[in-house]
Short mmCIF file of all heavy atoms in Angstrom, two decimals:
data_model
loop_
_atom_site.label_atom_id
_atom_site.label_comp_id
_atom_site.label_asym_id
_atom_site.label_seq_id
_atom_site.Cartn_x
_atom_site.Cartn_y
_atom_site.Cartn_z
N MET A 1 30.67 70.42 143.61
CA MET A 1 31.87 69.73 143.23
C MET A 1 32.85 70.75 142.66
O MET A 1 32.48 71.59 141.85
CB MET A 1 31.53 68.65 142.20
CG MET A 1 32.69 67.79 141.83
SD MET A 1 33.35 66.87 143.19
CE MET A 1 32.68 65.28 142.88
N TYR A 2 34.10 70.67 143.08
CA TYR A 2 35.15 71.58 142.63
C TYR A 2 36.26 70.80 141.96
O TYR A 2 36.76 69.83 142.53
CB TYR A 2 35.72 72.39 143.80
CG TYR A 2 34.71 73.31 144.42
CD1 TYR A 2 33.88 72.88 145.45
CD2 TYR A 2 34.55 74.61 143.95
CE1 TYR A 2 32.93 73.72 146.00
CE2 TYR A 2 33.60 75.45 144.50
CZ TYR A 2 32.79 75.00 145.52
OH TYR A 2 31.85 75.84 146.06
N CYS A 3 36.63 71.19 140.77
CA CYS A 3 37.73 70.56 140.04
C CYS A 3 39.02 71.30 140.37
O CYS A 3 39.04 72.53 140.38
CB CYS A 3 37.47 70.58 138.54
SG CYS A 3 36.09 69.56 138.05
N ASN A 4 40.08 70.54 140.64
CA ASN A 4 41.38 71.13 140.96
C ASN A 4 42.47 70.46 140.15
O ASN A 4 42.32 69.31 139.73
CB ASN A 4 41.67 70.98 142.46
CG ASN A 4 41.01 72.04 143.28
OD1 ASN A 4 41.39 73.20 143.20
ND2 ASN A 4 40.01 71.67 144.05
N PRO A 5 43.59 71.17 139.97
CA PRO A 5 44.71 70.58 139.24
C PRO A 5 45.31 69.41 140.03
O PRO A 5 45.14 69.31 141.25
CB PRO A 5 45.71 71.73 139.12
CG PRO A 5 45.32 72.73 140.14
CD PRO A 5 43.85 72.54 140.39
N GLY A 6 46.01 68.54 139.33
CA GLY A 6 46.60 67.36 139.94
C GLY A 6 47.61 67.68 141.03
O GLY A 6 47.89 66.84 141.88
N ARG A 7 48.15 68.89 141.05
CA ARG A 7 49.14 69.26 142.05
C ARG A 7 48.55 69.53 143.43
O ARG A 7 49.27 69.79 144.40
CB ARG A 7 49.95 70.46 141.57
CG ARG A 7 49.15 71.72 141.40
CD ARG A 7 50.00 72.85 140.77
NE ARG A 7 49.19 74.03 140.56
CZ ARG A 7 49.00 74.98 141.47
NH1 ARG A 7 49.59 74.89 142.63
NH2 ARG A 7 48.24 76.02 141.20
N LEU A 8 47.22 69.44 143.56
CA LEU A 8 46.58 69.72 144.85
C LEU A 8 47.08 68.78 145.94
O LEU A 8 47.38 69.20 147.04
CB LEU A 8 45.06 69.64 144.73
CG LEU A 8 44.28 69.82 146.04
CD1 LEU A 8 44.53 71.19 146.64
CD2 LEU A 8 42.80 69.59 145.81
N GLY A 9 47.18 67.49 145.64
CA GLY A 9 47.63 66.52 146.65
C GLY A 9 49.02 66.83 147.16
O GLY A 9 49.28 66.79 148.37
N GLN A 10 49.94 67.15 146.25
CA GLN A 10 51.30 67.49 146.64
C GLN A 10 51.32 68.77 147.48
O GLN A 10 52.03 68.87 148.47
CB GLN A 10 52.18 67.65 145.41
CG GLN A 10 53.61 67.97 145.75
CD GLN A 10 54.47 68.17 144.52
OE1 GLN A 10 53.97 68.24 143.40
NE2 GLN A 10 55.76 68.26 144.70
N ALA A 11 50.52 69.76 147.09
CA ALA A 11 50.46 71.02 147.84
C ALA A 11 49.91 70.79 149.24
O ALA A 11 50.41 71.37 150.21
CB ALA A 11 49.60 72.04 147.10
N LEU A 12 48.91 69.93 149.38
CA LEU A 12 48.37 69.61 150.70
C LEU A 12 49.44 68.95 151.58
O LEU A 12 49.56 69.27 152.76
CB LEU A 12 47.14 68.71 150.58
CG LEU A 12 45.86 69.37 150.08
CD1 LEU A 12 44.82 68.31 149.73
CD2 LEU A 12 45.31 70.34 151.11
N GLN A 13 50.21 68.02 151.02
CA GLN A 13 51.27 67.37 151.78
C GLN A 13 52.34 68.37 152.21
O GLN A 13 52.80 68.33 153.36
CB GLN A 13 51.92 66.26 150.96
CG GLN A 13 51.05 65.04 150.82
CD GLN A 13 51.73 63.96 149.98
OE1 GLN A 13 52.68 64.22 149.25
NE2 GLN A 13 51.24 62.75 150.09
N GLN A 14 52.74 69.25 151.31
CA GLN A 14 53.74 70.26 151.65
C GLN A 14 53.24 71.19 152.73
O GLN A 14 53.96 71.51 153.68
CB GLN A 14 54.15 71.05 150.41
CG GLN A 14 54.95 70.25 149.42
CD GLN A 14 55.22 71.02 148.15
OE1 GLN A 14 54.41 71.84 147.71
NE2 GLN A 14 56.36 70.76 147.54
N ALA A 15 52.01 71.64 152.61
CA ALA A 15 51.44 72.55 153.61
C ALA A 15 51.33 71.85 154.96
O ALA A 15 51.65 72.45 155.99
CB ALA A 15 50.07 73.03 153.16
N ALA A 16 50.92 70.59 154.97
CA ALA A 16 50.80 69.84 156.23
C ALA A 16 52.17 69.67 156.89
O ALA A 16 52.26 69.66 158.11
CB ALA A 16 50.14 68.49 155.98
N SER A 17 53.22 69.54 156.08
CA SER A 17 54.56 69.37 156.66
C SER A 17 55.08 70.68 157.27
O SER A 17 55.96 70.65 158.13
CB SER A 17 55.53 68.83 155.61
OG SER A 17 55.85 69.82 154.66
N ILE A 18 54.56 71.82 156.83
CA ILE A 18 54.97 73.12 157.38
C ILE A 18 54.23 73.43 158.68
O ILE A 18 54.81 73.94 159.63
CB ILE A 18 54.70 74.25 156.36
CG1 ILE A 18 55.55 74.06 155.11
CG2 ILE A 18 54.92 75.63 156.97
CD1 ILE A 18 57.03 74.24 155.30
N ALA A 19 52.94 73.13 158.73
CA ALA A 19 52.13 73.44 159.92
C ALA A 19 52.65 72.67 161.13
O ALA A 19 53.28 71.63 161.00
CB ALA A 19 50.67 73.09 159.66
N ASP A 20 52.38 73.19 162.29
CA ASP A 20 52.84 72.58 163.55
C ASP A 20 51.65 72.02 164.31
O ASP A 20 51.00 72.73 165.08
CB ASP A 20 53.57 73.62 164.39
CG ASP A 20 54.08 73.07 165.71
OD1 ASP A 20 53.98 71.85 165.93
OD2 ASP A 20 54.57 73.88 166.52
N PRO A 21 51.35 70.73 164.13
CA PRO A 21 50.18 70.14 164.78
C PRO A 21 50.27 70.09 166.30
O PRO A 21 49.28 69.88 166.97
CB PRO A 21 50.09 68.74 164.18
CG PRO A 21 51.42 68.45 163.61
CD PRO A 21 52.06 69.78 163.29
N THR A 22 51.46 70.33 166.87
CA THR A 22 51.61 70.31 168.33
C THR A 22 51.44 71.69 168.95
O THR A 22 51.49 71.83 170.16
CB THR A 22 52.98 69.74 168.73
OG1 THR A 22 54.00 70.60 168.22
CG2 THR A 22 53.16 68.33 168.19
N SER A 23 51.26 72.71 168.10
CA SER A 23 51.11 74.08 168.60
C SER A 23 49.83 74.24 169.39
O SER A 23 48.80 73.64 169.08
CB SER A 23 51.12 75.07 167.43
OG SER A 23 50.88 76.37 167.89
N THR A 24 49.88 75.08 170.42
CA THR A 24 48.68 75.38 171.19
C THR A 24 47.81 76.41 170.47
O THR A 24 46.67 76.62 170.86
CB THR A 24 49.03 75.90 172.59
OG1 THR A 24 49.87 77.05 172.46
CG2 THR A 24 49.74 74.82 173.40
N ARG A 25 48.36 77.05 169.44
CA ARG A 25 47.60 77.99 168.62
C ARG A 25 47.02 77.23 167.44
O ARG A 25 47.76 76.74 166.58
CB ARG A 25 48.48 79.14 168.15
CG ARG A 25 48.94 80.01 169.31
CD ARG A 25 49.78 81.17 168.85
NE ARG A 25 49.04 81.99 167.91
CZ ARG A 25 49.62 82.90 167.15
NH1 ARG A 25 50.92 83.09 167.20
NH2 ARG A 25 48.89 83.62 166.31
N TYR A 26 45.71 77.12 167.39
CA TYR A 26 45.03 76.32 166.38
C TYR A 26 45.46 76.70 164.97
O TYR A 26 45.68 75.83 164.12
CB TYR A 26 43.51 76.46 166.54
CG TYR A 26 42.72 75.62 165.59
CD1 TYR A 26 42.64 74.24 165.77
CD2 TYR A 26 42.05 76.19 164.52
CE1 TYR A 26 41.91 73.45 164.89
CE2 TYR A 26 41.32 75.41 163.63
CZ TYR A 26 41.25 74.04 163.83
OH TYR A 26 40.54 73.27 162.96
N SER A 27 45.62 77.99 164.71
CA SER A 27 45.95 78.43 163.35
C SER A 27 47.34 77.97 162.91
O SER A 27 47.57 77.78 161.72
CB SER A 27 45.85 79.95 163.24
OG SER A 27 46.75 80.57 164.13
N LEU A 28 48.27 77.76 163.84
CA LEU A 28 49.61 77.30 163.46
C LEU A 28 49.64 75.80 163.16
O LEU A 28 50.58 75.31 162.55
CB LEU A 28 50.63 77.63 164.56
CG LEU A 28 50.87 79.11 164.82
CD1 LEU A 28 51.95 79.28 165.89
CD2 LEU A 28 51.26 79.84 163.55
N GLY A 29 48.64 75.10 163.59
CA GLY A 29 48.56 73.67 163.33
C GLY A 29 47.59 73.33 162.22
O GLY A 29 47.21 72.17 162.06
N SER A 30 47.18 74.33 161.45
CA SER A 30 46.15 74.13 160.44
C SER A 30 46.58 74.67 159.08
O SER A 30 47.47 75.50 158.97
CB SER A 30 44.86 74.85 160.85
OG SER A 30 44.39 74.34 162.07
N LEU A 31 45.88 74.21 158.06
CA LEU A 31 46.01 74.74 156.71
C LEU A 31 44.81 75.63 156.46
O LEU A 31 43.70 75.29 156.86
CB LEU A 31 45.98 73.61 155.68
CG LEU A 31 47.20 72.74 155.51
CD1 LEU A 31 47.54 71.97 156.75
CD2 LEU A 31 46.98 71.81 154.35
N ARG A 32 45.05 76.77 155.83
CA ARG A 32 43.94 77.66 155.49
C ARG A 32 43.67 77.54 154.00
O ARG A 32 44.56 77.71 153.18
CB ARG A 32 44.26 79.12 155.82
CG ARG A 32 43.10 80.05 155.44
CD ARG A 32 43.42 81.50 155.59
NE ARG A 32 44.67 81.94 155.05
CZ ARG A 32 44.86 82.33 153.78
NH1 ARG A 32 43.88 82.30 152.92
NH2 ARG A 32 46.05 82.74 153.38
N LEU A 33 42.44 77.24 153.66
CA LEU A 33 41.99 77.21 152.27
C LEU A 33 41.04 78.38 152.07
O LEU A 33 40.06 78.51 152.81
CB LEU A 33 41.28 75.89 151.96
CG LEU A 33 42.01 74.61 152.36
CD1 LEU A 33 41.17 73.39 152.00
CD2 LEU A 33 43.38 74.53 151.72
N ARG A 34 41.34 79.23 151.10
CA ARG A 34 40.52 80.43 150.88
C ARG A 34 39.93 80.37 149.48
O ARG A 34 40.65 80.36 148.48
CB ARG A 34 41.38 81.68 151.05
CG ARG A 34 40.57 82.96 151.01
CD ARG A 34 41.35 84.14 151.49
NE ARG A 34 42.54 84.36 150.68
CZ ARG A 34 43.55 85.13 151.06
NH1 ARG A 34 43.53 85.74 152.22
NH2 ARG A 34 44.59 85.29 150.28
N GLY A 35 38.60 80.33 149.42
CA GLY A 35 37.90 80.20 148.15
C GLY A 35 37.94 81.43 147.27
O GLY A 35 37.90 81.32 146.05
N ALA A 36 38.04 82.62 147.85
CA ALA A 36 38.00 83.86 147.07
C ALA A 36 39.09 83.92 146.01
O ALA A 36 38.85 84.36 144.89
CB ALA A 36 38.11 85.07 147.99
N ASP A 37 40.28 83.45 146.36
CA ASP A 37 41.39 83.49 145.39
C ASP A 37 42.05 82.13 145.18
O ASP A 37 43.09 82.03 144.54
CB ASP A 37 42.42 84.54 145.79
CG ASP A 37 42.99 84.30 147.18
OD1 ASP A 37 42.66 83.28 147.81
OD2 ASP A 37 43.77 85.15 147.65
N GLY A 38 41.46 81.09 145.73
CA GLY A 38 41.99 79.73 145.54
C GLY A 38 43.33 79.50 146.19
O GLY A 38 44.14 78.71 145.73
N GLN A 39 43.58 80.18 147.30
CA GLN A 39 44.87 80.11 147.96
C GLN A 39 44.87 79.12 149.12
O GLN A 39 43.89 79.00 149.85
CB GLN A 39 45.27 81.48 148.49
CG GLN A 39 46.67 81.53 149.07
CD GLN A 39 46.99 82.86 149.68
OE1 GLN A 39 46.47 83.19 150.74
NE2 GLN A 39 47.82 83.64 149.00
N MET A 40 45.99 78.43 149.27
CA MET A 40 46.24 77.55 150.40
C MET A 40 47.44 78.12 151.15
O MET A 40 48.42 78.54 150.53
CB MET A 40 46.58 76.14 149.90
CG MET A 40 46.96 75.17 150.98
SD MET A 40 47.57 73.59 150.33
CE MET A 40 46.40 73.22 149.05
N ALA A 41 47.37 78.14 152.48
CA ALA A 41 48.47 78.68 153.28
C ALA A 41 48.64 77.86 154.55
O ALA A 41 47.68 77.30 155.08
CB ALA A 41 48.20 80.14 153.64
N ALA A 42 49.89 77.78 155.01
CA ALA A 42 50.20 77.12 156.27
C ALA A 42 51.45 77.77 156.84
O ALA A 42 52.31 78.25 156.09
CB ALA A 42 50.42 75.64 156.07
N THR A 43 51.58 77.78 158.16
CA THR A 43 52.77 78.31 158.81
C THR A 43 52.96 77.63 160.16
O THR A 43 52.00 77.13 160.76
CB THR A 43 52.70 79.84 159.01
OG1 THR A 43 53.94 80.29 159.55
CG2 THR A 43 51.55 80.24 159.92
N ASP A 44 54.21 77.62 160.61
CA ASP A 44 54.50 77.15 161.95
C ASP A 44 54.98 78.31 162.81
O ASP A 44 55.47 78.12 163.91
CB ASP A 44 55.53 76.01 161.92
CG ASP A 44 56.88 76.45 161.39
OD1 ASP A 44 57.06 77.63 161.03
OD2 ASP A 44 57.79 75.59 161.31
N GLY A 45 54.87 79.52 162.30
CA GLY A 45 55.30 80.72 163.02
C GLY A 45 56.71 81.15 162.63
O GLY A 45 57.14 82.25 162.94
N ARG A 46 57.46 80.27 161.94
CA ARG A 46 58.81 80.60 161.49
C ARG A 46 58.92 80.59 159.97
O ARG A 46 59.70 81.31 159.40
CB ARG A 46 59.81 79.60 162.09
CG ARG A 46 59.93 79.67 163.60
CD ARG A 46 60.90 78.65 164.15
NE ARG A 46 60.58 77.27 163.81
CZ ARG A 46 59.68 76.51 164.44
NH1 ARG A 46 59.01 77.01 165.45
NH2 ARG A 46 59.45 75.27 164.08
N GLN A 47 58.19 79.71 159.34
CA GLN A 47 58.20 79.61 157.88
C GLN A 47 56.77 79.55 157.38
O GLN A 47 55.86 79.22 158.14
CB GLN A 47 58.99 78.38 157.42
CG GLN A 47 58.46 77.08 158.00
CD GLN A 47 59.32 75.88 157.63
OE1 GLN A 47 60.10 75.94 156.68
NE2 GLN A 47 59.20 74.81 158.38
N ALA A 48 56.60 79.86 156.11
CA ALA A 48 55.25 79.88 155.54
C ALA A 48 55.22 79.10 154.23
O ALA A 48 56.22 79.00 153.52
CB ALA A 48 54.80 81.31 155.29
N PHE A 49 54.05 78.56 153.93
CA PHE A 49 53.80 77.89 152.66
C PHE A 49 52.58 78.56 152.04
O PHE A 49 51.55 78.69 152.70
CB PHE A 49 53.53 76.40 152.88
CG PHE A 49 53.13 75.70 151.60
CD1 PHE A 49 54.09 75.21 150.74
CD2 PHE A 49 51.80 75.55 151.27
CE1 PHE A 49 53.73 74.58 149.57
CE2 PHE A 49 51.42 74.91 150.10
CZ PHE A 49 52.40 74.43 149.24
N LEU A 50 52.71 78.98 150.78
CA LEU A 50 51.60 79.57 150.05
C LEU A 50 51.52 78.92 148.67
O LEU A 50 52.54 78.70 148.03
CB LEU A 50 51.78 81.08 149.86
CG LEU A 50 51.73 81.95 151.10
CD1 LEU A 50 52.11 83.37 150.75
CD2 LEU A 50 50.35 81.91 151.72
N ALA A 51 50.33 78.61 148.25
CA ALA A 51 50.08 78.09 146.90
C ALA A 51 48.72 78.60 146.47
O ALA A 51 47.82 78.79 147.29
CB ALA A 51 50.13 76.57 146.89
N ASP A 52 48.56 78.84 145.18
CA ASP A 52 47.27 79.30 144.70
C ASP A 52 46.93 78.63 143.38
O ASP A 52 47.67 77.79 142.89
CB ASP A 52 47.22 80.83 144.58
CG ASP A 52 48.24 81.38 143.62
OD1 ASP A 52 48.92 80.60 142.92
OD2 ASP A 52 48.38 82.60 143.55
N GLY A 53 45.77 78.98 142.85
CA GLY A 53 45.32 78.38 141.61
C GLY A 53 44.38 77.21 141.81
O GLY A 53 44.17 76.40 140.91
N PHE A 54 43.81 77.10 143.01
CA PHE A 54 42.90 76.00 143.33
C PHE A 54 41.46 76.50 143.37
O PHE A 54 41.21 77.70 143.43
CB PHE A 54 43.28 75.37 144.67
CG PHE A 54 44.69 74.85 144.70
CD1 PHE A 54 45.67 75.50 145.42
CD2 PHE A 54 45.04 73.71 143.99
CE1 PHE A 54 46.97 75.03 145.44
CE2 PHE A 54 46.33 73.23 144.00
CZ PHE A 54 47.30 73.89 144.73
N ASN A 55 40.54 75.57 143.37
CA ASN A 55 39.11 75.89 143.49
C ASN A 55 38.60 75.34 144.81
O ASN A 55 38.53 74.12 144.99
CB ASN A 55 38.33 75.27 142.33
CG ASN A 55 38.74 75.87 141.00
OD1 ASN A 55 38.73 77.07 140.83
ND2 ASN A 55 39.12 75.02 140.06
N PHE A 56 38.27 76.24 145.73
CA PHE A 56 37.74 75.87 147.03
C PHE A 56 36.37 76.52 147.22
O PHE A 56 36.05 77.50 146.55
CB PHE A 56 38.67 76.34 148.16
CG PHE A 56 40.06 75.77 148.09
CD1 PHE A 56 41.17 76.60 148.09
CD2 PHE A 56 40.26 74.41 148.03
CE1 PHE A 56 42.45 76.09 148.04
CE2 PHE A 56 41.54 73.87 147.97
CZ PHE A 56 42.64 74.72 147.98
N PRO A 57 35.57 76.01 148.15
CA PRO A 57 34.28 76.65 148.43
C PRO A 57 34.48 78.09 148.89
O PRO A 57 35.55 78.45 149.38
CB PRO A 57 33.70 75.80 149.57
CG PRO A 57 34.44 74.51 149.53
CD PRO A 57 35.80 74.82 148.97
N PRO A 58 33.45 78.92 148.77
CA PRO A 58 33.55 80.31 149.22
C PRO A 58 33.92 80.39 150.70
O PRO A 58 33.62 79.50 151.48
CB PRO A 58 32.15 80.87 148.99
CG PRO A 58 31.51 79.95 148.01
CD PRO A 58 32.13 78.61 148.21
N GLY A 59 34.59 81.45 151.05
CA GLY A 59 34.99 81.67 152.44
C GLY A 59 36.34 81.07 152.73
O GLY A 59 37.12 80.76 151.83
N GLU A 60 36.63 80.92 154.03
CA GLU A 60 37.90 80.35 154.47
C GLU A 60 37.63 79.10 155.30
O GLU A 60 36.70 79.07 156.09
CB GLU A 60 38.70 81.35 155.30
CG GLU A 60 39.22 82.51 154.50
CD GLU A 60 40.15 83.40 155.30
OE1 GLU A 60 40.40 83.14 156.49
OE2 GLU A 60 40.64 84.36 154.72
N ILE A 61 38.48 78.11 155.11
CA ILE A 61 38.35 76.86 155.84
C ILE A 61 39.69 76.57 156.49
O ILE A 61 40.73 76.67 155.85
CB ILE A 61 37.98 75.70 154.89
CG1 ILE A 61 36.69 75.98 154.16
CG2 ILE A 61 37.91 74.38 155.64
CD1 ILE A 61 36.41 75.03 153.01
N LEU A 62 39.69 76.19 157.77
CA LEU A 62 40.90 75.73 158.45
C LEU A 62 40.80 74.22 158.61
O LEU A 62 39.81 73.70 159.14
CB LEU A 62 41.05 76.38 159.82
CG LEU A 62 41.45 77.84 159.84
CD1 LEU A 62 41.51 78.35 161.29
CD2 LEU A 62 42.79 78.06 159.17
N ILE A 63 41.84 73.52 158.15
CA ILE A 63 41.89 72.06 158.27
C ILE A 63 43.07 71.71 159.15
O ILE A 63 44.21 72.12 158.86
CB ILE A 63 42.08 71.40 156.89
CG1 ILE A 63 40.92 71.76 155.98
CG2 ILE A 63 42.24 69.90 157.02
CD1 ILE A 63 41.10 71.26 154.56
N PRO A 64 42.87 70.96 160.23
CA PRO A 64 44.00 70.56 161.07
C PRO A 64 45.01 69.76 160.25
O PRO A 64 44.65 68.84 159.52
CB PRO A 64 43.37 69.69 162.15
CG PRO A 64 41.91 70.05 162.14
CD PRO A 64 41.59 70.46 160.74
N ALA A 65 46.29 70.12 160.35
CA ALA A 65 47.34 69.43 159.60
C ALA A 65 47.43 67.97 160.00
O ALA A 65 47.80 67.12 159.19
CB ALA A 65 48.67 70.12 159.82
N SER A 66 47.08 67.66 161.23
CA SER A 66 47.17 66.27 161.69
C SER A 66 46.26 65.35 160.90
O SER A 66 46.53 64.15 160.78
CB SER A 66 46.82 66.18 163.18
OG SER A 66 45.51 66.67 163.41
N VAL A 67 45.20 65.87 160.30
CA VAL A 67 44.30 65.08 159.48
C VAL A 67 45.02 64.63 158.21
O VAL A 67 44.75 63.55 157.67
CB VAL A 67 43.04 65.89 159.11
CG1 VAL A 67 42.18 65.18 158.10
CG2 VAL A 67 42.24 66.20 160.36
N LEU A 68 45.93 65.45 157.72
CA LEU A 68 46.62 65.17 156.46
C LEU A 68 48.00 64.55 156.65
O LEU A 68 48.61 64.11 155.67
CB LEU A 68 46.78 66.47 155.66
CG LEU A 68 45.48 67.16 155.31
CD1 LEU A 68 45.76 68.52 154.71
CD2 LEU A 68 44.66 66.32 154.35
N ALA A 69 48.49 64.51 157.88
CA ALA A 69 49.83 63.99 158.13
C ALA A 69 49.91 62.50 157.80
O ALA A 69 48.96 61.75 158.04
CB ALA A 69 50.23 64.24 159.58
N LYS A 70 51.05 62.12 157.26
CA LYS A 70 51.27 60.70 156.96
C LYS A 70 51.52 59.95 158.26
O LYS A 70 52.24 60.43 159.14
CB LYS A 70 52.47 60.53 156.04
CG LYS A 70 52.21 60.96 154.64
CD LYS A 70 53.41 60.60 153.79
CE LYS A 70 53.14 60.92 152.34
NZ LYS A 70 54.28 60.56 151.48
N HIS A 71 50.95 58.79 158.36
CA HIS A 71 51.16 57.94 159.53
C HIS A 71 52.00 56.75 159.10
O HIS A 71 51.74 56.15 158.06
CB HIS A 71 49.82 57.47 160.10
CG HIS A 71 48.97 58.59 160.58
ND1 HIS A 71 49.24 59.26 161.74
CD2 HIS A 71 47.87 59.18 160.05
CE1 HIS A 71 48.32 60.21 161.90
NE2 HIS A 71 47.49 60.18 160.89
N PRO A 72 53.02 56.40 159.89
CA PRO A 72 53.88 55.26 159.51
C PRO A 72 53.14 53.95 159.51
O PRO A 72 52.14 53.75 160.05
CB PRO A 72 54.98 55.27 160.57
CG PRO A 72 54.55 56.19 161.65
CD PRO A 72 53.41 57.00 161.13
#
């Protein structure tokens, strides 16, 4: 179990809005969570989102942005 600050949800939403879920490059449609330094990153190839100060499992995890996207 990992405890994170309350801003994690907002950071996930912001990162998901930056990533391009329609990209043919998996990494551009995903959020990267890195446990070594608690960093979250996302890009669409033109802009980037970076946030840190989180607690994630060791290693790197890619999460498809479409999983986090809001559905109407």
Side-chain angles (χ1 to χ4, degrees):
M1 185 62 103
Y2 295 89
C3 293
N4 277 291
R7 64 186 178 87
L8 176 61
Q10 181 182 10
L12 286 168
Q13 286 179 343
Q14 290 175 327
S17 71
I18 296 292
D20 180 7
T22 63
S23 176
T24 57
R25 293 182 59 194
Y26 183 73
S27 61
L28 295 182
S30 300
L31 285 62
R32 179 187 47 87
L33 310 179
R34 187 167 60 196
D37 57 5
Q39 186 184 73
M40 175 188 315
T43 184
D44 64 0
R46 295 179 302 279
Q47 57 185 340
F49 174 85
L50 293 173
D52 61 7
F54 302 107
N55 296 306
F56 300 126
E60 291 187 359
I61 301 168
L62 287 178
I63 300 174
S66 59
V67 171
L68 300 171
K70 288 186 175 181
H71 297 286

